[in-house]
Amino acid sequence: MAGRRALIRRETRETQIHVDLDLDGSVAGSEERTLSTPIPFFTHMLDAFGRHGLFDLTLTARGDIEIDGHHTVEDTGLALGEALKAALGDKAGICRFGEATVPMDETLAQAVVDFSGRPHLTFLVEGLSGKWVGDFD
């Protein structure tokens, strides 16, 4: 399947987000990622998202991080969601849902995804002391 690419710009009073997502841009293992955010941990997580998702991702995010990283992270998530939705188009040739459990570093993550078009998030985290991971809230 070719042509599964989307360019998304999201600009608000708090943020400027530009996303170029190509689901079929590279051969597995050679994905191209060019990422720029003011939040190093978030940039690292976006890199892992692209690497393990096996797609090309160019993303630039700027935001009012002098307040906190919330607006930048939230608006980036919204822009990435729009890019994924646009790149998938009519969703021909994909499974509607899937799941994975992945042990990585000191974590065990489980993700269950349903491309039904009805957004929902359940976030269950145990063992965090406080609301910060390093300098990331």
Side-chain angles (χ1 to χ4, degrees):
M1 191 175 291
R4 299 187 313 165
R5 182 176 183 183
L7 301 168
I8 299 293
R9 291 184 181 271
R10 177 178 176 82
E11 300 195 5
T12 69
R13 289 181 303 169
E14 295 90 9
T15 63
Q16 299 82 45
I17 314 294
H18 302 153
V19 177
D20 181 350
L21 174 66
D22 188 343
L23 298 178
D24 303 306
S26 297
V27 176
S30 65
E31 303 75 38
E32 295 180 19
R33 290 170 308 284
T34 304
L35 306 167
S36 175
T37 84
I39 307 167
F41 178 73
F42 186 48
T43 304
H44 167 72
M45 295 305 290
L46 290 168
D47 183 63
F49 177 69
R51 183 173 0 102
H52 296 294
L54 304 177
F55 48 74
D56 289 355
L57 176 62
T58 299
L59 185 145
T60 303
R62 293 186 180 83
D64 59 354
I65 63 161
E66 66 279 0
I67 310 254
D68 67 26
H70 170 82
H71 292 135
T72 302
V73 172
E74 180 179 48
D75 285 0
T76 298
L78 290 168
L80 269 174
E82 286 300 314
L84 186 58
K85 180 180 179 182
L88 287 172
D90 65 5
K91 303 179 199 166
I94 69 163
C95 295
R96 178 180 150 180
F97 46 84
E99 69 86 26
T101 300
V102 179
M104 185 174 289
D105 299 328
E106 64 278 356
T107 63
L108 178 63
Q110 180 183 34
V112 179
V113 178
D114 180 356
F115 285 106
S116 67
R118 296 179 299 271
H120 174 80
L121 170 68
T122 300
F123 183 70
L124 303 172
V125 177
E126 297 176 11
L128 281 181
S129 58
K131 19 183 257 190
W132 295 85
V133 176
D135 60 355
F136 188 74
D137 64 341

PDB file of all heavy atoms in Angstrom, residues 19-39:
ATOM      1  N   VAL A  19       3.858  18.164  11.789  1.00  0.00           N
ATOM      2  CA  VAL A  19       4.074  16.723  11.716  1.00  0.00           C
ATOM      3  C   VAL A  19       4.071  16.279  10.261  1.00  0.00           C
ATOM      4  O   VAL A  19       3.182  16.651   9.492  1.00  0.00           O
ATOM      5  CB  VAL A  19       2.961  15.943  12.469  1.00  0.00           C
ATOM      6  CG1 VAL A  19       3.156  14.447  12.331  1.00  0.00           C
ATOM      7  CG2 VAL A  19       2.904  16.349  13.921  1.00  0.00           C
ATOM      8  N   ASP A  20       5.061  15.492   9.892  1.00  0.00           N
ATOM      9  CA  ASP A  20       5.108  14.815   8.601  1.00  0.00           C
ATOM     10  C   ASP A  20       5.276  13.332   8.920  1.00  0.00           C
ATOM     11  O   ASP A  20       6.325  12.903   9.401  1.00  0.00           O
ATOM     12  CB  ASP A  20       6.288  15.330   7.779  1.00  0.00           C
ATOM     13  CG  ASP A  20       6.386  14.681   6.399  1.00  0.00           C
ATOM     14  OD1 ASP A  20       5.673  13.695   6.127  1.00  0.00           O
ATOM     15  OD2 ASP A  20       7.200  15.172   5.594  1.00  0.00           O
ATOM     16  N   LEU A  21       4.234  12.571   8.689  1.00  0.00           N
ATOM     17  CA  LEU A  21       4.203  11.146   9.022  1.00  0.00           C
ATOM     18  C   LEU A  21       4.055  10.346   7.740  1.00  0.00           C
ATOM     19  O   LEU A  21       3.137  10.582   6.951  1.00  0.00           O
ATOM     20  CB  LEU A  21       3.024  10.850   9.959  1.00  0.00           C
ATOM     21  CG  LEU A  21       2.752   9.389  10.291  1.00  0.00           C
ATOM     22  CD1 LEU A  21       3.885   8.789  11.100  1.00  0.00           C
ATOM     23  CD2 LEU A  21       1.432   9.274  11.050  1.00  0.00           C
ATOM     24  N   ASP A  22       4.963   9.412   7.506  1.00  0.00           N
ATOM     25  CA  ASP A  22       4.901   8.534   6.344  1.00  0.00           C
ATOM     26  C   ASP A  22       4.931   7.098   6.852  1.00  0.00           C
ATOM     27  O   ASP A  22       5.965   6.614   7.308  1.00  0.00           O
ATOM     28  CB  ASP A  22       6.075   8.807   5.414  1.00  0.00           C
ATOM     29  CG  ASP A  22       5.961   8.068   4.087  1.00  0.00           C
ATOM     30  OD1 ASP A  22       5.171   7.107   3.991  1.00  0.00           O
ATOM     31  OD2 ASP A  22       6.677   8.461   3.143  1.00  0.00           O
ATOM     32  N   LEU A  23       3.786   6.445   6.796  1.00  0.00           N
ATOM     33  CA  LEU A  23       3.669   5.093   7.333  1.00  0.00           C
ATOM     34  C   LEU A  23       4.457   4.066   6.523  1.00  0.00           C
ATOM     35  O   LEU A  23       4.805   3.017   7.044  1.00  0.00           O
ATOM     36  CB  LEU A  23       2.197   4.668   7.399  1.00  0.00           C
ATOM     37  CG  LEU A  23       1.301   5.513   8.301  1.00  0.00           C
ATOM     38  CD1 LEU A  23      -0.133   5.014   8.240  1.00  0.00           C
ATOM     39  CD2 LEU A  23       1.808   5.518   9.734  1.00  0.00           C
ATOM     40  N   ASP A  24       4.745   4.373   5.258  1.00  0.00           N
ATOM     41  CA  ASP A  24       5.438   3.432   4.380  1.00  0.00           C
ATOM     42  C   ASP A  24       6.730   4.017   3.826  1.00  0.00           C
ATOM     43  O   ASP A  24       7.213   3.584   2.787  1.00  0.00           O
ATOM     44  CB  ASP A  24       4.525   3.050   3.212  1.00  0.00           C
ATOM     45  CG  ASP A  24       3.218   2.472   3.677  1.00  0.00           C
ATOM     46  OD1 ASP A  24       3.251   1.514   4.460  1.00  0.00           O
ATOM     47  OD2 ASP A  24       2.158   2.997   3.285  1.00  0.00           O
ATOM     48  N   GLY A  25       7.319   4.961   4.531  1.00  0.00           N
ATOM     49  CA  GLY A  25       8.455   5.695   3.989  1.00  0.00           C
ATOM     50  C   GLY A  25       9.748   4.935   3.905  1.00  0.00           C
ATOM     51  O   GLY A  25      10.607   5.265   3.107  1.00  0.00           O
ATOM     52  N   SER A  26       9.941   3.929   4.712  1.00  0.00           N
ATOM     53  CA  SER A  26      11.242   3.263   4.769  1.00  0.00           C
ATOM     54  C   SER A  26      11.090   1.764   4.855  1.00  0.00           C
ATOM     55  O   SER A  26      10.056   1.247   5.239  1.00  0.00           O
ATOM     56  CB  SER A  26      12.004   3.727   6.017  1.00  0.00           C
ATOM     57  OG  SER A  26      12.272   5.097   5.944  1.00  0.00           O
ATOM     58  N   VAL A  27      12.152   1.113   4.510  1.00  0.00           N
ATOM     59  CA  VAL A  27      12.249  -0.319   4.744  1.00  0.00           C
ATOM     60  C   VAL A  27      12.435  -0.503   6.247  1.00  0.00           C
ATOM     61  O   VAL A  27      13.123   0.283   6.895  1.00  0.00           O
ATOM     62  CB  VAL A  27      13.454  -0.896   3.974  1.00  0.00           C
ATOM     63  CG1 VAL A  27      13.637  -2.375   4.272  1.00  0.00           C
ATOM     64  CG2 VAL A  27      13.303  -0.637   2.487  1.00  0.00           C
ATOM     65  N   ALA A  28      11.825  -1.513   6.826  1.00  0.00           N
ATOM     66  CA  ALA A  28      11.935  -1.749   8.267  1.00  0.00           C
ATOM     67  C   ALA A  28      13.388  -1.700   8.707  1.00  0.00           C
ATOM     68  O   ALA A  28      14.261  -2.287   8.085  1.00  0.00           O
ATOM     69  CB  ALA A  28      11.310  -3.089   8.637  1.00  0.00           C
ATOM     70  N   GLY A  29      13.642  -0.976   9.762  1.00  0.00           N
ATOM     71  CA  GLY A  29      14.988  -0.854  10.305  1.00  0.00           C
ATOM     72  C   GLY A  29      15.728   0.375   9.821  1.00  0.00           C
ATOM     73  O   GLY A  29      16.773   0.719  10.348  1.00  0.00           O
ATOM     74  N   SER A  30      15.194   1.068   8.817  1.00  0.00           N
ATOM     75  CA  SER A  30      15.885   2.259   8.324  1.00  0.00           C
ATOM     76  C   SER A  30      14.975   3.487   8.369  1.00  0.00           C
ATOM     77  O   SER A  30      15.120   4.400   7.579  1.00  0.00           O
ATOM     78  CB  SER A  30      16.377   2.028   6.896  1.00  0.00           C
ATOM     79  OG  SER A  30      15.274   1.854   6.020  1.00  0.00           O
ATOM     80  N   GLU A  31      14.019   3.491   9.278  1.00  0.00           N
ATOM     81  CA  GLU A  31      13.079   4.591   9.392  1.00  0.00           C
ATOM     82  C   GLU A  31      13.833   5.897   9.622  1.00  0.00           C
ATOM     83  O   GLU A  31      14.853   5.930  10.281  1.00  0.00           O
ATOM     84  CB  GLU A  31      12.104   4.382  10.566  1.00  0.00           C
ATOM     85  CG  GLU A  31      11.335   3.113  10.507  1.00  0.00           C
ATOM     86  CD  GLU A  31      12.155   1.907  10.879  1.00  0.00           C
ATOM     87  OE1 GLU A  31      12.995   1.987  11.784  1.00  0.00           O
ATOM     88  OE2 GLU A  31      11.983   0.886  10.220  1.00  0.00           O
ATOM     89  N   GLU A  32      13.292   6.967   9.077  1.00  0.00           N
ATOM     90  CA  GLU A  32      13.890   8.280   9.255  1.00  0.00           C
ATOM     91  C   GLU A  32      13.058   9.070  10.251  1.00  0.00           C
ATOM     92  O   GLU A  32      11.850   9.170  10.114  1.00  0.00           O
ATOM     93  CB  GLU A  32      13.944   9.012   7.909  1.00  0.00           C
ATOM     94  CG  GLU A  32      14.863   8.324   6.918  1.00  0.00           C
ATOM     95  CD  GLU A  32      14.916   9.062   5.591  1.00  0.00           C
ATOM     96  OE1 GLU A  32      14.552  10.246   5.542  1.00  0.00           O
ATOM     97  OE2 GLU A  32      15.324   8.426   4.607  1.00  0.00           O
ATOM     98  N   ARG A  33      13.735   9.600  11.242  1.00  0.00           N
ATOM     99  CA  ARG A  33      13.067  10.427  12.232  1.00  0.00           C
ATOM    100  C   ARG A  33      13.876  11.702  12.418  1.00  0.00           C
ATOM    101  O   ARG A  33      15.074  11.647  12.685  1.00  0.00           O
ATOM    102  CB  ARG A  33      12.922   9.677  13.557  1.00  0.00           C
ATOM    103  CG  ARG A  33      11.923   8.541  13.476  1.00  0.00           C
ATOM    104  CD  ARG A  33      11.955   7.662  14.698  1.00  0.00           C
ATOM    105  NE  ARG A  33      13.274   7.173  15.066  1.00  0.00           N
ATOM    106  CZ  ARG A  33      13.930   6.193  14.440  1.00  0.00           C
ATOM    107  NH1 ARG A  33      13.408   5.600  13.398  1.00  0.00           N
ATOM    108  NH2 ARG A  33      15.119   5.795  14.857  1.00  0.00           N
ATOM    109  N   THR A  34      13.209  12.832  12.279  1.00  0.00           N
ATOM    110  CA  THR A  34      13.808  14.127  12.561  1.00  0.00           C
ATOM    111  C   THR A  34      12.867  14.798  13.554  1.00  0.00           C
ATOM    112  O   THR A  34      11.735  15.143  13.200  1.00  0.00           O
ATOM    113  CB  THR A  34      13.948  14.971  11.280  1.00  0.00           C
ATOM    114  OG1 THR A  34      14.696  14.225  10.330  1.00  0.00           O
ATOM    115  CG2 THR A  34      14.639  16.287  11.581  1.00  0.00           C
ATOM    116  N   LEU A  35      13.323  14.923  14.791  1.00  0.00           N
ATOM    117  CA  LEU A  35      12.447  15.376  15.869  1.00  0.00           C
ATOM    118  C   LEU A  35      13.052  16.572  16.574  1.00  0.00           C
ATOM    119  O   LEU A  35      14.248  16.591  16.872  1.00  0.00           O
ATOM    120  CB  LEU A  35      12.239  14.243  16.871  1.00  0.00           C
ATOM    121  CG  LEU A  35      11.743  12.926  16.267  1.00  0.00           C
ATOM    122  CD1 LEU A  35      11.875  11.801  17.260  1.00  0.00           C
ATOM    123  CD2 LEU A  35      10.321  13.078  15.778  1.00  0.00           C
ATOM    124  N   SER A  36      12.213  17.548  16.869  1.00  0.00           N
ATOM    125  CA  SER A  36      12.664  18.715  17.615  1.00  0.00           C
ATOM    126  C   SER A  36      11.551  19.158  18.552  1.00  0.00           C
ATOM    127  O   SER A  36      10.495  19.619  18.093  1.00  0.00           O
ATOM    128  CB  SER A  36      13.023  19.854  16.651  1.00  0.00           C
ATOM    129  OG  SER A  36      13.357  21.021  17.378  1.00  0.00           O
ATOM    130  N   THR A  37      11.760  18.950  19.852  1.00  0.00           N
ATOM    131  CA  THR A  37      10.840  19.465  20.863  1.00  0.00           C
ATOM    132  C   THR A  37      11.690  20.076  21.970  1.00  0.00           C
ATOM    133  O   THR A  37      12.873  19.755  22.095  1.00  0.00           O
ATOM    134  CB  THR A  37       9.927  18.370  21.476  1.00  0.00           C
ATOM    135  OG1 THR A  37      10.619  17.697  22.525  1.00  0.00           O
ATOM    136  CG2 THR A  37       9.434  17.379  20.438  1.00  0.00           C
ATOM    137  N   PRO A  38      11.108  20.932  22.789  1.00  0.00           N
ATOM    138  CA  PRO A  38      11.867  21.517  23.895  1.00  0.00           C
ATOM    139  C   PRO A  38      11.934  20.624  25.131  1.00  0.00           C
ATOM    140  O   PRO A  38      12.435  21.046  26.168  1.00  0.00           O
ATOM    141  CB  PRO A  38      11.087  22.805  24.185  1.00  0.00           C
ATOM    142  CG  PRO A  38       9.683  22.482  23.807  1.00  0.00           C
ATOM    143  CD  PRO A  38       9.786  21.535  22.641  1.00  0.00           C
ATOM    144  N   ILE A  39      11.449  19.374  25.015  1.00  0.00           N
ATOM    145  CA  ILE A  39      11.364  18.480  26.168  1.00  0.00           C
ATOM    146  C   ILE A  39      12.138  17.200  25.832  1.00  0.00           C
ATOM    147  O   ILE A  39      11.623  16.330  25.116  1.00  0.00           O
ATOM    148  CB  ILE A  39       9.890  18.162  26.503  1.00  0.00           C
ATOM    149  CG1 ILE A  39       9.086  19.451  26.668  1.00  0.00           C
ATOM    150  CG2 ILE A  39       9.802  17.296  27.751  1.00  0.00           C
ATOM    151  CD1 ILE A  39       7.585  19.247  26.678  1.00  0.00           C
TER     152      ILE A  39
END
